[in-house]
Structure formats: structure tokens, C-alpha cells
Amino acid sequence: MKEKWVPTELLLSFLVLVTIHGGARAATIYVPDDHGTIQIAINNAADGDTIIVRDGTYTEYVELGTSAANTKNNLIIQAENEGSAIIQCTDSGDVPVIYIEGDSEGVPTGTIIDGFDIKRSSGGKGAGVFISNANTSTYAAVTVEDCTISGDTSLHSGVRLNGYIEATITGNTITGPKEAGIATSAPDYSSNEDYLYEDSIVTIEDNIINGNSVTDQAGIFLKGHADNTTQVVIRGTSTGVPKTSRIYGNRTAGIRLEDIYGAVTIDNNQVNNNSKAGICMIDIGSESAIATIQNNNINDNTQAGITVAGASYLTIGSNNNINDNGTGGVAFNKATITILYSDPINASSQPVTISGNKIYSNNTYAGIGIIDAITGTVTITDQNDIYQNTRGGIGIQNSCELRIIGNKIRDNVRGGIHTGTDIADDAFSDTTGFLGGPGSADLTITQNKIYGNGESGYGGGIDVRHASGTIHNNLVYRNHRGGIRFGDYITEIVNNTVAHNGNDNDTPTDPDDDTGGGIVYDNLAGAVNAQPEGTLSDSANYPNPRIRNNISAYNITTGLRVGKMPTDLTTCPDNPVYSSDSINYRDYNLVYLNNGTTDDCGWYTDTGVSYARILSCANKQYGGCGANWPYPFVMVDPHDIIADPLFVSTTEGSEDYHLKAGSPAIGGGVGGATMGAYGGSDPINW
């Protein structure tokens, strides 16, 4: 086909029209070269333009979207040299330095604020950058990057957010705001509370946030509105030291999130030296969007490293280091949370999982502390290493449902897992230390390695006298008090290895010397460290616990005690330890060299040993009546074994409680099962 000829002058006219009506390339505008102020440059810019601001100080209030003249899309406002263009606001009113607003008339989207030194001072109150959008159909997409935002007490927030927004806040340093570094609202705005509305997206990445000065605010404080599905990401992109995301030195929490039910990720941050909690989570996540806290260093905060409250669907882990915090590593404790709005703060009521973390050297209560009642399930699993906490590893002071599976709980000053008060005081009665009803702490404790706890002489491995639940396949050894100490509501103690518990330091005048049995019942009548008391009740309200397939050996006092210890170990008390059917509940256990015994009682080889000696030896293993009286000798638990379990190694520091070939515990359990933590249907496998 022959090409049609177009006159040159007509073609030029067409190109001019295209340039004027939408075909123009984006322009670059310089301040002050082309326009004397940033605001005039914005008013004269077109969508997609870039405004380059030369070095200098610009004292002005910058607005986008507050009028038709400054509602522009995809506008880049950039300092020519990062940190050398200063925008400062000295207005005595309540205005920010940079205000980006969307409403029914229009929304400025795609805005980038890049590289400025933003200051707010000299009276009034306002944010460094305030992004607010009331338009429900178009989200205000704004990026604030590589800025320094600072000021005196008139800087109420570094970056303030409200409404329907998609904000990316990255690479900024925000220091010294009166309230939060990045926030939805502050108490001073109580008549104009701000929220993140549904489907908003906030990404906070590689920022340094420190030094807010009001006790009711946090480094980052974000609150959602109603049942919103806002998404929040707070992260660092480098694993260097220090991390690229640092939230520290704030007067309350480092990070506080509230009423946000979309996807929440807090990943690879350094959160430290904040005056309350490191991270505070209130009503976070949902069944379909589990919030995640992972790969963070959370340390040296005045209260807990992480505080959890409300209906929070949350996973803490993996790979958080949570250490040296004032009131514990992870705390379920609404009482420490300041109410900023009128909404009440409730105790945790949804599933929380704590997995694969290091939780250590925390003070006051425990590595993980259940202080308020919990109605949801908390699962502590996947080899959390919980150690050297000032009071205990896992402290349980109130009603809860706790699943403690496959953790290392070691070298804590008080108990490894304990119910009751956090006060390590021998004169303090633990009957008042647990705030829930009897048995209201429902515990599943399985496949844990629990050792070296009770360093101060207080507490043992597992001390759960207030709790109901089950204890099976745990390795509990070298704790300074008892191995497993339980009360009336525990229903099952099966396939545990409990060995070398007690503090035998060969100092008879030391009150902590020669204490600590293997598996011991206690009716809570005594103080924290008092000798266990009582006989397991036969009431229908107290189920007979199934105590099977356990190995209890080398403990300083009794190996397995469920009744009162008589004064004379060669005789039995008048009342039996069990009812007539109790034999169905406690049997098939191995005990050896507990309570000062020095041999295996001559069960099988030494026919010349007197019945009295055998009976005394057996009763020492059981702390009371381990055999029927009078002669002939008959074990109360006829399938129990008193013999060397043949552990691979009992050398302190290199213990190995697997069983050697030929161990009587192999096949000695119910139905020919292997006894101990490495036997049964659910052995320790890590």
C-alpha cells in the first residue's frame, strides 16, 4: 500500500498537541532555581514530575492533596544531597512539616519524600510527616525514605498515619519526638483519634527510632479500626550488627500494635532499652493471618521483652534472642499495659505459639510468664532454649492452657517449669502464689530436657502442684530441688527419666543440702521449699494419676513418693498409700539408688539379705511404703523394678540417659515398652 503523505507543518502541530495533552515526559523541577519554595514547586508540578531540592534550609509548611492545585500523583520530592536540604516548621499551630491528605475530592498517590532533614520546633504540635486519607476507594500510596526527622516537644510524631493508606517508611532516622516515632495517634489527639483502616498496608523498614519522651507512647505505635485487615511489616533487611532496623531508648514500648487483624510481621529488628516492653501486642492477627515475630534481638527493656494481651493470633519465633529484660522474656500480663484509648485490654484469648527462640537472663518473673489468666492455648515448642532467667524458665501464676513440647529449659535460678508465686522465698507459702482455681492451669509437658534449675536452691525441674494435665517423655536431671513435684490434678506421669536431682554439696549445715527427690506428690500445705506433705487423695475430685514407665534414679531423696513418709522407714503407716484399685495406676516404674541407698537391695542375687533390710531399702526408694507389711515381702507395685537402669553415661557434664543394651528398663514397661524419656510411643527425638 502506498504511504500517505503528511505535510510537515501538520505533523509538527500534532506533536505539539500530544506534548500538551498527556504525552509529555515527566519534568525535573529545581528548588530554588525554578521555584523559590517547595510548596510553589508542588503547585506548579504535573503528575510524575520530580522536584529536586538544593542544599539549604526551607522554613515552610508543605502540603499535598489539600487543594486541587497540589493534588498530584507519582510526585517525587527529593533532596539533591541526602540530609543537606532541611525542611523546618516553626508554626505555633498544630500542623506537621509535611502534610499529605486524601479525601473525596482526590488522593495524591505514588508520592515519594526522599532524603530530607525534617525538623519541627518552636511551639505548637505536629508530625514530621502526616499521611491522612479519608477516601475509601483510593489508597494514599506514600514513601518516606532516607530522611532524618527530629525536633523538640512540638514534634509529636515522626511519621503520623491515619485512614486508608499504603505507606512505606524506609531508611529513616527518627529521634526525639514527644510521642511516638511512627504512630497512628497520640493522647493529645483524643478528640481526633487516628487509625489504620481496612486493607491499609504499612511497611516500616531499616529505620532507627529512638528517644520519644512521653511515657504513654512507643517507638512505633499503630492501631487499627474495628475489624480491619490492615497489614503491617516492621523489619530490617540486613543481619549485620547493629541491625539496620533499631528501635531503642523509647519511654514505653519499642513497638506497640493494637487491633490489627491482617498479616503482621516483625522481622530482624533490634528492640532494646525501651522503658516498658520491647514489643507489645494487643488484639493482633486473625485465624487466617497469624502475626509473626521472628529473627529479632529483644533485650534490656524495662518490662518484658514481649508482652501479649487480647485476642492475639501470634507466633513468636523462630530465632528471636529475648534476653536481659526487666520483668521476663515473654509475659502474658495486661496489667503492665497503659490504656491509651477507651478500649479495655483483655487477657490473651487466642492461640499463641512460641517456637525456636533463645530466652535467657530475664529478670523478676520468668523466661515465659503466665501472669494473667489465658483462655486461648499457648504452645511452647520446637527447642526454645530457656535458660539463666532470674526466677524461672516458665512461670505459671494463673489459669491457662499450656502445651510445653520439645524445649531445653536449663540453669534458671528458680524452677524450670513452676506454678505459683514468683517470689523465691522459703518462708512464703505457695498456696497464695497461684491466682487461678485449683487445677485451672492445664498443662501438657512432653519431650523436654529440663536440667540445672533451682540454682539459688529454690525450685526444681517441674514443680506444678497447682496444675492439671500430663507429664510424659521428659528428661529431668540435676535440678537443685526435686525432679517432678506434682499435686492433685495431674492425671498422667509416663515415660520420664528423672535422675540426679538434689543438691548434695557435702555440707550438712547447709539448708539446701540433701534435698530433691525424683517424682514426688505434694499437697501444697507447705512453703515453696518445704518438705512435700500429704497423701494423694482418693476423692472423685482428684483423679488417680497414671504413673507408669518412668525411670527415677540417683536422686538425693526419694525416687517415687506419693504418700506420707513415716518416721521409721522399716514400718508403714496405718493408712494405706492407695485405695484398693490404685495398683492399676502406679506400676511399671524403675527406681534405683535414691534416698541414700547404696546398692540395689539384693533383689535377685543376695538371698541372705534380711527382709528388714530389703524393706527398708525399698521404702527409701519410695519415701514411705514401697512394700506391704508384715512379711513376707510383697511390692505395692508388683511390676516395679529396683535395679541399675544402665544409662550410657552418668558423669556430670557429659550425661547420656539413653539405655545400654541389657538394661532392665528395655521392655520393662507396660506391654513390653521401654521405660524412660527415650521409650514409649512418643520418645524424645531431638
Side-chain angles (χ1 to χ4, degrees):
M1 180 181 292
K2 189 176 179 178
E3 293 184 354
K4 184 179 291 188
W5 177 76
V6 180
T8 301
E9 55 267 39
L10 182 60
L11 180 59
L12 291 173
S13 297
F14 173 76
L15 292 174
V16 169
L17 288 172
V18 169
T19 299
I20 294 172
H21 297 288
R25 295 180 179 178
T28 300
I29 302 168
Y30 287 88
V31 177
D33 309 50
D34 299 320
H35 298 288
T37 69
I38 300 168
Q39 188 64 59
I40 295 173
I42 291 171
N43 294 344
N44 287 277
D47 289 354
D49 284 354
T50 298
I51 298 172
I52 302 294
V53 181
R54 307 280 196 191
D55 296 357
T57 299
Y58 300 83
T59 302
E60 55 180 302
Y61 165 47
V62 178
E63 297 179 328
L64 286 82
T66 58
S67 68
N70 60 35
T71 301
K72 311 293 168 62
N73 294 323
N74 303 314
L75 197 64
I76 300 173
I77 307 171
Q78 180 179 353
E80 184 177 36
N81 297 297
E82 184 178 317
S84 295
I86 302 169
I87 309 174
Q88 67 177 10
C89 180
T90 59
D91 192 297
S92 60
D94 299 339
V95 297
V97 182
I98 300 174
Y99 184 30
I100 303 171
E101 181 186 37
D103 56 26
S104 59
E105 301 299 319
V107 181
T109 65
T111 305
I112 298 175
I113 309 293
D114 181 7
F116 291 96
D117 186 348
I118 300 170
K119 298 181 183 296
R120 179 70 170 82
S121 60
S122 301
K125 60 186 179 185
V129 179
F130 183 14
I131 307 165
S132 181
N133 178 29
N135 191 315
T136 61
S137 61
T138 302
Y139 282 70
V142 179
T143 297
V144 181
E145 63 184 10
D146 298 328
C147 293
T148 297
I149 305 175
S150 62
D152 60 19
T153 57
S154 68
L155 179 68
H156 273 227
S157 299
V159 179
R160 182 179 168 196
L161 309 172
N162 178 50
Y164 303 86
I165 61 176
E166 295 178 4
T168 300
I169 305 167
T170 180
N172 303 282
T173 298
I174 303 173
T175 60
K178 182 178 179 182
E179 280 139 5
I182 300 172
T184 45
S185 185
D188 285 355
Y189 297 109
S190 58
S191 60
N192 185 26
E193 293 173 350
D194 294 343
Y195 303 90
L196 296 170
Y197 283 79
E198 59 182 328
D199 297 327
S200 289
I201 300 173
V202 178
T203 301
I204 300 172
E205 182 178 272
D206 292 335
N207 299 281
I208 298 173
I209 303 171
N210 77 290
N212 71 296
S213 60
V214 172
T215 57
D216 289 340
Q217 281 295 320
I220 299 171
F221 171 45
L222 302 179
K223 183 176 174 67
H225 185 268
D227 294 329
N228 73 86
T229 52
T230 292
Q231 299 178 46
V232 174
V233 175
I234 303 171
R235 68 185 174 204
T237 59
S238 171
T239 58
V241 180
K243 291 180 182 290
T244 50
S245 176
R246 298 169 57 202
I247 302 106
Y248 68 97
N250 298 289
R251 288 291 297 275
T252 55
I255 300 169
R256 173 171 169 151
L257 303 184
E258 187 170 347
D259 297 333
I260 296 174
Y261 304 114
V264 173
T265 300
I266 301 176
D267 183 15
N268 197 39
N269 303 280
Q270 178 75 42
V271 185
N272 64 286
N273 293 104
N274 298 287
S275 292
K276 288 192 177 177
I279 299 174
C280 181
M281 306 291 274
I282 308 167
D283 294 305
I284 296 300
S286 65
E287 190 172 3
S288 60
I290 307 298
T292 303
I293 302 174
Q294 63 186 15
N295 303 316
N296 302 282
N297 290 340
I298 306 167
N299 61 279
D300 293 291
N301 299 285
T302 301
Q303 293 184 354
I306 301 174
T307 297
V308 182
S312 291
Y313 294 81
L314 176 63
T315 295
I316 300 173
S318 59
N319 297 321
N320 295 294
N321 287 324
I322 307 171
N323 62 281
D324 293 285
N325 298 287
T327 59
V330 180
F332 294 81
N333 184 10
K334 65 177 183 176
T336 60
I337 302 172
T338 303
I339 297 176
L340 301 181
Y341 292 74
S342 58
D343 299 349
I345 296 174
N346 300 311
S348 181
S349 61
Q350 295 299 343
V352 176
T353 299
I354 305 172
S355 64
N357 305 285
K358 290 185 178 180
I359 305 174
Y360 61 97
S361 299
N362 298 286
N363 299 311
T364 303
Y365 194 61
I368 300 173
I370 311 299
I371 300 168
D372 286 318
I374 294 174
T375 56
T377 301
V378 175
T379 301
I380 304 169
T381 189
D382 192 22
Q383 298 180 41
N384 291 287
D385 193 356
I386 306 172
Y387 63 97
Q388 293 178 354
N389 296 285
T390 299
R391 291 294 169 83
I394 301 174
I396 303 156
Q397 196 169 325
N398 220 317
S399 304
C400 60
E401 185 175 342
L402 223 58
R403 304 291 171 256
I404 306 171
I405 304 169
N407 303 282
K408 185 185 294 184
I409 306 171
R410 60 185 176 92
D411 302 318
N412 296 286
V413 174
R414 197 185 157 182
I417 302 171
H418 72 88
T419 61
T421 180
D422 65 325
I423 299 174
D425 183 347
D426 195 47
F428 187 90
S429 174
D430 233 0
T431 56
T432 58
F434 183 76
L435 303 178
S440 62
D442 181 2
L443 310 181
T444 299
I445 304 173
T446 182
Q447 293 184 323
N448 301 284
K449 297 177 183 179
I450 304 171
Y451 59 93
N453 299 288
E455 289 183 343
S456 66
Y458 294 93
I462 301 174
D463 185 351
V464 291
R465 290 168 285 169
H466 308 82
S468 61
T470 61
I471 304 170
H472 68 88
N473 287 95
N474 299 283
L475 178 58
V476 187
Y477 68 98
R478 296 205 187 277
N479 297 285
H480 287 244
R481 289 281 172 162
I484 298 175
R485 198 170 181 183
F486 70 100
D488 287 312
Y489 287 90
I490 294 294
T491 57
E492 186 173 278
I493 303 174
V494 172
N495 269 106
N496 301 282
T497 296
V498 186
H500 291 107
N501 295 288
N503 182 27
D504 186 7
N505 56 15
D506 297 320
T507 309
T509 58
D510 184 346
D512 295 331
D513 189 38
D514 298 339
T515 58
I519 302 172
V520 178
Y521 168 79
D522 189 352
N523 66 2
L524 280 173
V528 174
N529 267 8
Q531 178 176 312
E533 293 189 24
T535 301
L536 190 66
S537 173
D538 196 37
S539 166
N541 296 323
Y542 301 93
N544 280 311
R546 187 177 299 275
I547 304 176
R548 296 281 184 94
N549 293 5
N550 301 285
I551 299 173
S552 183
Y554 303 104
N555 299 289
I556 295 300
T557 58
T558 182
L560 176 58
R561 193 195 76 83
V562 192
K564 280 183 175 292
M565 181 184 292
T567 303
D568 182 356
L569 291 177
T570 64
T571 63
C572 286
D574 293 334
N575 59 308
V577 178
Y578 297 101
S579 63
S580 59
D581 66 345
S582 293
I583 196 171
N584 297 318
Y585 293 92
R586 193 192 85 176
D587 203 356
Y588 292 94
N589 300 287
L590 184 151
V591 291
Y592 182 68
L593 294 192
N594 299 290
N595 209 1
T597 55
T598 56
D599 57 34
D600 61 4
C601 303
W603 289 118
Y604 308 112
T605 58
D606 191 352
T607 56
V609 175
S610 69
Y611 279 122
R613 179 186 166 192
I614 294 173
L615 186 57
S616 174
C617 179
N619 282 333
K620 282 187 176 183
Q621 302 290 337
Y622 293 93
C625 282
N628 289 329
W629 186 267
Y631 310 132
F633 176 83
V634 179
M635 286 285 292
V636 169
D637 307 317
H639 301 98
D640 271 11
I641 300 171
I642 302 180
D644 188 343
L646 297 180
F647 295 132
V648 170
S649 174
T650 59
T651 301
E652 186 170 1
S654 59
E655 296 90 349
D656 184 345
Y657 291 103
H658 287 85
L659 302 172
K660 295 178 182 177
S663 167
I666 297 174
V670 178
T674 295
M675 297 173 167
Y678 296 104
S681 60
D682 197 17
I684 289 180
N685 57 9
W686 59 279

